[in-house]
Amino acid sequence: MKTVDLRSDTVTSPSQAMRREMANAPVGDDVYGEDPTVNRLESMAAELLGKEAALFVPTGTMGNLLALLSHCGRGDEYIAGQEAHIYRWEGGGGAIFGGIQPQPIDFEEDGTLDLEKVRRVVKPADYHHPVTRLLCLENTQGGKVLPLDYLAKAAELAQGLGLSLHLDGARVFNAAVYLGVPVATIAAHFDSASVCLSKGLGAPAGTVLCASRELIGRARRWRKVAGGGMRQAGILAAAGIHALEKNLQRLTEDHENAELLAAGLGHIEELMVSQARTNILFVTPPAGSADRLRQTLATEGILLGGGDQIRLVTHLDVTGADVERTVVAFKRFFAARGN
Ligand SMILES: *Cc1c(COP(=O)(O)O)cnc(C)c1O
C-alpha cells in the first residue's frame, strides 16, 4: 500500500527521470567554481528570479543564514515575524555565527508584517541602539501568499528607512504560480531571495540564494566559512535544474489537491478545517483526539503533521486518489464509536 505523507512537502522522493539527470550530470569542483551543472543551475535561478547572481547551497537554513551574514554585521539587527522560519526555526544561526540580533514582531492574519509596526521597531541612529539593517518577509507564509501591492509598499518603506529587504522564499514558486505571475515579479521587490528546491519542487536537497553580484560574492565567502562549499555538487544541482524545468507549473495541482482535501474534510462535523492556502491547510480535531487520529491514520499508511492543530501539505507525491483515500480515512475515524 502506498504511503500518503502529508506531513510536509520536504518528503518528496526524486523521480526516475530526476535520478537519471543526476547520474548523467557533468561535474567539477564547485569550490573552484568549476562545476558546470552548478554554474548552470545558478544562472538559471538568477534569471528566473531576475537577479544578477545566485548561489547553490545545501539547505534553506543555510540560504537564510548566508543572507543574514551578507546583509548584516556584528551588532546589527534584522526584523522578522515572530513565527518566521529565519527567526524561530533555524536555531538562532544569525546570533551564533554573526552576532546579529533579531527584532521579531507578530505576523498579521494574512502572513504580512504590519508596516507601521515595522517602522516603530526600527531603531533611531543613536549609539545606544543596535543598527537595524534588514527586513525579512516570508512568502508563502504558512501557505499564505503575500499580495503584490503589499510587497511594493514594504519595499518602499525599506528603501525609505535604509533597510535591505530579504525574502525567505522557501515556497515562493507556490506564490508565483498561485498569482499567475513570473516569480521575478515577486522577487523584484527584494534585495535577496532564498528559494528551496527541496520542497514542492521535488529535489532531494538544495536551495538557491539570489541577489546582486556583490551580495552573492559575500555569501559565497560565508558559504565556505559555514562549511557549505561542496565539491562535485553538480549531482545535486542537476536535480534542481530538473525541478525548475519540469515541476514549476504542476504546483497548481498541489493547490487543487489541497482545496479538494479541505472541501472533503470540511464535511466532517467534528473537524475544524482551515481554508486551503496554496499547498497547505490545517485541521483541528476535538481536544484530546489528535494523537489517536494520527496513530489510526498511520496504520492505514496516511501520515499527518504533529500537534493539536494538524498541518496537511500536498506535494508531487500526493495524487487526487490519495486525497480521496485520506478523506475516507478521516470519515471512517470519526464515524467509529468513541472518536
Ligand atoms: C523549509 C523552510 C526553510 C528552510 O529549509 P531547510 O529545511 O533548511 O532546507 C526556510 N524557510 C521556510 C519558510 C521553510 O518552510
Side-chain angles (χ1 to χ4, degrees), residues 61 126 201 294:
T61 298
D126 172 324
L201 297 184
R294 235 182 321 269

Side-chain angles (χ1 to χ4, degrees), residues 18-88:
M18 182 180 275
R19 286 167 195 258
R20 270 196 301 278
E21 301 279 347
M22 295 172 76
N24 296 325
V27 295
D29 191 323
D30 182 46
V31 174
Y32 296 162
E34 290 174 2
D35 189 302
T37 308
V38 172
N39 293 342
R40 195 171 142 228
L41 170 63
E42 290 178 347
S43 346
M44 251 179 103
E47 193 176 328
L48 270 169
L49 275 282
K51 300 294 176 204
E52 284 175 1
L55 185 69
F56 183 53
V57 298
T59 62
T61 298
M62 191 180 285
N64 281 336
L65 174 64
L66 301 191
L68 288 178
L69 292 168
S70 304
H71 283 292
C72 303
R74 180 161 286 271
D76 288 348
E77 176 182 77
Y78 70 98
I79 301 167
Q82 197 68 250
E83 292 295 327
H85 205 281
I86 197 168
Y87 164 62
R88 184 72 174 254

Side-chain angles (χ1 to χ4, degrees), residues 125-190:
D126 172 324
Y127 56 58
H128 291 87
H129 300 305
V131 177
T132 314
R133 271 295 169 215
L134 178 69
L135 172 60
C136 298
L137 299 175
E138 200 172 292
N139 195 12
T140 63
Q141 201 285 311
K144 295 169 205 164
V145 176
L146 307 193
L148 288 174
D149 62 340
Y150 168 79
L151 298 185
K153 285 183 198 135
E156 196 184 306
L157 179 83
Q159 198 166 31
L161 295 169
L163 306 181
S164 297
L165 189 56
H166 173 66
L167 170 64
D168 179 352
R171 297 188 179 88
V172 70
F173 279 108
N174 291 83
V177 164
Y178 181 86
L179 293 172
V181 300
V183 74
T185 303
I186 296 173
H189 298 291
F190 295 86

Side-chain angles (χ1 to χ4, degrees), residues 268 270-271 285-286 289 293 329-337 339:
I268 301 172
E270 293 88 341
L271 214 51
S289 63
L293 173 65
F330 266 86
K331 284 186 175 158
R332 199 180 307 120
F333 176 83
F334 285 106
R337 239 165 18 124
N339 283 328

Side-chain angles (χ1 to χ4, degrees), residues 311-322:
R311 187 179 78 155
L312 304 176
V313 187
T314 57
H315 51 76
L316 87 176
D317 291 347
V318 176
T319 64
D322 296 336

